[in-house]
Amino acid sequence: MTYTENLWLYFTLLFGIIVVPGMDMIFVLANALTRGRMAGLAATSGIMAGGLVHSLYGALGVGLLASLMPVLFKPLLILGALYMAWIGLGLLRSSIIVDHVGPADTRSNWEAFRRGAVTCLINPKAYLFMLAVYPQFLRPDFGPLAPQAAIMAAMTAGTQFAVYGGLAVAAGRAREMLVGNGKATVWVGRIAGLLLVLVCLLTLWEGVKA
């Protein structure tokens, strides 16, 4: 697998995770509907800032492992792929429905930014996700890890901005697409789950073969 193919796989998995309706998406939408587009974009920026910190931790963890305990790199890759496949299977079996989007209780754009960042940073599942994902795509055989990590972090932030920022700008229409439209949100979750399983199986095969 080439480096370009590796990045496309990472983007596919990343997009599948971000597009699934969840707390981050509802937080952005609630701020946009309650206080306008700028509040929604401020919430999006906070989530992006938290995501960059997660990316940094993931890159540092993989870098330390690759330099200090390289023998554990492949087992971590395998465990991470199995964990992501487990998440994907859970999404395939799930029925994600957004019942309503309540009003946001933020009083300023700065508070929306801060709460978005804090919510992202205190989520332990996000750290586990990064530690599971990064060993699959941040590979020493593709060259120095720092440039790879920077590109993946930029891709993460850009995808968050495109998805959540798009919701903030089109808040009214986005609410119509999500709230009460159970069939659509269920299929979004299940398609995302299928993408996760396929990507993880492919990266697992590539990792074991390498």
Side-chain angles (χ1 to χ4, degrees):
M1 181 167 56
T2 67
Y3 181 56
T4 301
E5 292 170 341
N6 182 70
L7 289 180
W8 273 111
L9 282 175
Y10 175 70
F11 171 75
T12 302
L13 187 147
L14 180 69
F15 182 79
I17 285 291
I18 292 176
V19 79
V20 174
M23 292 304 298
D24 288 346
M25 186 177 289
I26 300 303
F27 180 72
V28 169
L29 194 54
N31 276 275
L33 290 169
T34 303
R35 297 184 42 254
R37 294 176 179 176
M38 292 307 298
L41 291 173
T44 299
S45 299
I47 293 169
M48 290 167 60
L52 289 174
V53 175
H54 289 311
S55 297
L56 176 62
Y57 281 136
L60 288 175
V62 172
L64 288 173
L65 191 66
S67 60
L68 299 179
M69 293 178 289
V71 69
L72 295 179
F73 191 83
K74 184 173 287 188
L76 183 62
L77 183 151
I78 294 172
L79 288 174
L82 293 175
Y83 173 70
M84 291 307 305
W86 178 72
I87 293 178
L89 290 173
L91 287 173
L92 280 170
R93 295 194 302 265
S94 68
S95 297
I96 299 171
I97 297 175
V98 181
D99 295 322
H100 70 284
V101 178
D105 57 357
T106 55
R107 294 180 294 274
S108 66
N109 292 346
W110 165 245
E111 185 178 359
F113 172 88
R114 180 173 55 81
R115 287 185 56 184
V118 170
T119 301
C120 187
L121 288 173
I122 64 176
N123 183 0
K125 291 183 179 180
Y127 291 97
L128 186 58
F129 174 80
M130 297 309 297
L131 288 175
V133 168
Y134 263 54
Q136 300 179 59
F137 299 96
L138 193 63
R139 306 279 188 85
D141 47 310
F142 287 137
L145 296 182
Q148 293 185 57
I151 291 172
M152 290 170 63
M155 291 175 66
T156 301
T159 307
Q160 288 175 324
F161 180 77
V163 175
Y164 298 145
L167 288 175
V169 171
R173 185 170 297 178
R175 176 171 59 181
E176 293 176 5
M177 290 189 298
L178 291 173
V179 178
N181 195 356
K183 187 175 293 186
T185 54
V186 166
W187 276 106
V188 166
R190 291 179 179 175
I191 292 172
L194 179 60
L195 285 175
L196 261 66
V197 171
L198 292 176
V199 171
C200 290
L201 288 176
L202 183 56
T203 56
L204 181 63
W205 168 253
E206 290 287 341
V208 171
K209 186 172 64 174

mmCIF file of all heavy atoms in Angstrom, residues 14 64 72 120 143:
data_model
loop_
_atom_site.group_PDB
_atom_site.id
_atom_site.type_symbol
_atom_site.label_atom_id
_atom_site.label_comp_id
_atom_site.label_asym_id
_atom_site.label_seq_id
_atom_site.Cartn_x
_atom_site.Cartn_y
_atom_site.Cartn_z
ATOM 1 N N LEU A 14 -11.980 8.320 8.989
ATOM 2 C CA LEU A 14 -12.221 9.558 9.728
ATOM 3 C C LEU A 14 -13.591 10.136 9.385
ATOM 4 O O LEU A 14 -14.370 10.505 10.272
ATOM 5 C CB LEU A 14 -11.116 10.566 9.380
ATOM 6 C CG LEU A 14 -11.173 11.930 10.045
ATOM 7 C CD1 LEU A 14 -10.874 11.800 11.522
ATOM 8 C CD2 LEU A 14 -10.147 12.869 9.392
ATOM 9 N N LEU A 64 6.767 7.310 20.464
ATOM 10 C CA LEU A 64 7.498 6.715 21.577
ATOM 11 C C LEU A 64 7.549 5.197 21.451
ATOM 12 O O LEU A 64 8.582 4.575 21.714
ATOM 13 C CB LEU A 64 6.842 7.111 22.901
ATOM 14 C CG LEU A 64 7.024 8.566 23.335
ATOM 15 C CD1 LEU A 64 6.178 8.852 24.576
ATOM 16 C CD2 LEU A 64 8.489 8.856 23.623
ATOM 17 N N LEU A 72 6.525 -3.940 20.112
ATOM 18 C CA LEU A 72 5.106 -3.872 20.469
ATOM 19 C C LEU A 72 4.273 -3.143 19.421
ATOM 20 O O LEU A 72 3.048 -3.063 19.558
ATOM 21 C CB LEU A 72 4.935 -3.151 21.820
ATOM 22 C CG LEU A 72 5.528 -3.854 23.037
ATOM 23 C CD1 LEU A 72 5.300 -3.015 24.286
ATOM 24 C CD2 LEU A 72 4.904 -5.239 23.207
ATOM 25 N N CYS A 120 -14.552 17.774 24.227
ATOM 26 C CA CYS A 120 -13.729 16.880 23.421
ATOM 27 C C CYS A 120 -12.552 16.336 24.229
ATOM 28 O O CYS A 120 -12.232 15.149 24.152
ATOM 29 C CB CYS A 120 -13.231 17.629 22.185
ATOM 30 S SG CYS A 120 -12.349 16.609 20.987
ATOM 31 N N GLY A 143 8.351 6.913 6.347
ATOM 32 C CA GLY A 143 9.261 8.026 6.567
ATOM 33 C C GLY A 143 9.116 8.613 7.960
ATOM 34 O O GLY A 143 8.519 7.996 8.849
#
